Amino acid sequence: MRVLLVEDDRMIGEVVAQSLKEASYAVDWVRDGQTALNTLATQVYDVVLLDLGLPKRDGLEVLRGLRGKNNPVPVLVITARDTLDDRIRGLDSGADDYVLKPFEMTELLARMRAVIRRKGGVAGPVLSNGVITLDPATREVNRNGDTITLSGREFSLLMALMARPGAILSRSDLEERIYGWNEEVDSNAVEFLIHTLRKKLGAKAIQNVRGMGWMVSK
């Protein structure tokens, strides 16, 4: 899953970005509203974490600009603006949820998972296709009742596939979901991760659609 973090405070940004990486998210971090709008015009994200007090363009301007272009990406506002009017303006401008600073990363991650589930039309917290079960909260993966240990990258790739069972994701689709801007990507990185996942989950767990990409069955 790929996250855009829009936060101008360096200390907060560094802590949040590192926590997201440790939770197996790919994260891109920008520090002003105009760069956020420019980025969102060209990149696809699973969720946006948006501060409101930003230089160049205020967070509410970013939010209204995003929704004005009918971009449906889930947006979680993270801000110190704690008045009722501020919260109402944020939600009415198109935010999916609102978290006040200071916050615990465990709560932020839980709220992220919730808005991502709602976007995908999934009510429950666990992803499953009847054979493989993946819990984003505990990062636990089960296959036919057996618990499987995955690396962070393996978990991130499997989560991208499990979020859309039956959908074919290309190499570039998967790279975008598991790597951030500043991370080097080897030409065969995705193939290597799929190879290791098949060794752990079974050869038929991830299907290759020749010339198109990979998928997990519904």
Side-chain angles (χ1 to χ4, degrees):
M1 296 289 182
R2 193 169 183 181
V3 181
L4 178 65
L5 172 62
V6 190
E7 171 60 67
D8 66 321
D9 185 294
R10 181 176 293 277
M11 184 174 69
I12 293 174
E14 287 176 349
V15 170
V16 173
Q18 183 59 39
S19 297
L20 290 170
K21 291 175 183 177
E22 290 173 358
S24 299
Y25 290 94
V27 55
D28 298 330
W29 175 21
V30 299
R31 301 182 64 186
D32 68 79
Q34 187 58 59
T35 303
L37 282 173
N38 293 343
T39 301
L40 288 162
T42 59
Q43 301 286 329
V44 176
Y45 291 92
D46 294 289
V47 65
V48 176
L49 303 180
L50 178 65
D51 186 23
L52 295 184
L54 297 168
K56 297 186 180 180
R57 299 285 291 273
D58 183 82
L60 286 179
E61 289 184 69
V62 173
L63 190 52
R64 291 172 185 141
L66 187 64
R67 297 311 188 213
K69 295 183 182 299
N70 295 317
N71 190 323
V73 63
V75 176
L76 186 59
V77 169
I78 51 173
T79 181
R81 297 182 187 176
D82 61 355
T83 69
L84 177 60
D85 285 345
D86 284 327
R87 294 197 296 273
I88 290 172
R89 277 194 293 270
L91 294 168
D92 283 345
S93 295
D96 294 272
D97 203 351
Y98 204 103
V99 178
L100 295 177
K101 298 176 181 176
F103 50 81
E104 295 290 337
M105 274 304 304
T106 51
E107 179 185 5
L108 181 65
L109 290 168
R111 289 179 179 272
M112 284 173 54
R113 292 191 294 269
V115 297
I116 291 170
R117 287 199 306 271
R118 289 199 293 270
K119 176 193 175 186
V122 178
V126 174
L127 303 176
S128 179
N129 66 348
V131 177
I132 300 169
T133 300
L134 180 150
D135 189 337
T138 63
R139 298 181 64 197
E140 187 172 272
V141 175
N142 282 273
R143 182 179 186 276
N144 294 329
D146 295 325
T147 300
I148 311 297
T149 301
L150 301 182
S151 71
R153 290 274 192 241
E154 290 168 347
F155 184 88
S156 185
L157 189 149
L158 182 61
M159 185 164 62
L161 292 169
M162 291 291 294
R164 299 178 60 195
I168 301 168
L169 298 184
S170 67
R171 179 192 289 110
S172 61
D173 291 333
L174 291 169
E175 287 176 348
E176 287 178 359
R177 284 165 172 78
I178 63 178
Y179 294 100
W181 286 335
N182 299 320
E183 297 178 281
E184 293 186 10
V185 185
D186 293 335
S187 59
N188 66 339
V190 168
E191 286 85 349
F192 177 76
L193 287 171
I194 288 173
H195 172 72
T196 59
L197 280 168
R198 283 172 169 162
K199 287 181 67 175
K200 293 180 178 182
L201 299 171
K204 296 181 180 179
I206 299 175
Q207 302 169 27
N208 175 245
V209 182
R210 188 176 297 276
M212 298 181 67
W214 297 267
M215 59 177 282
V216 293
S217 61
K218 291 186 178 180

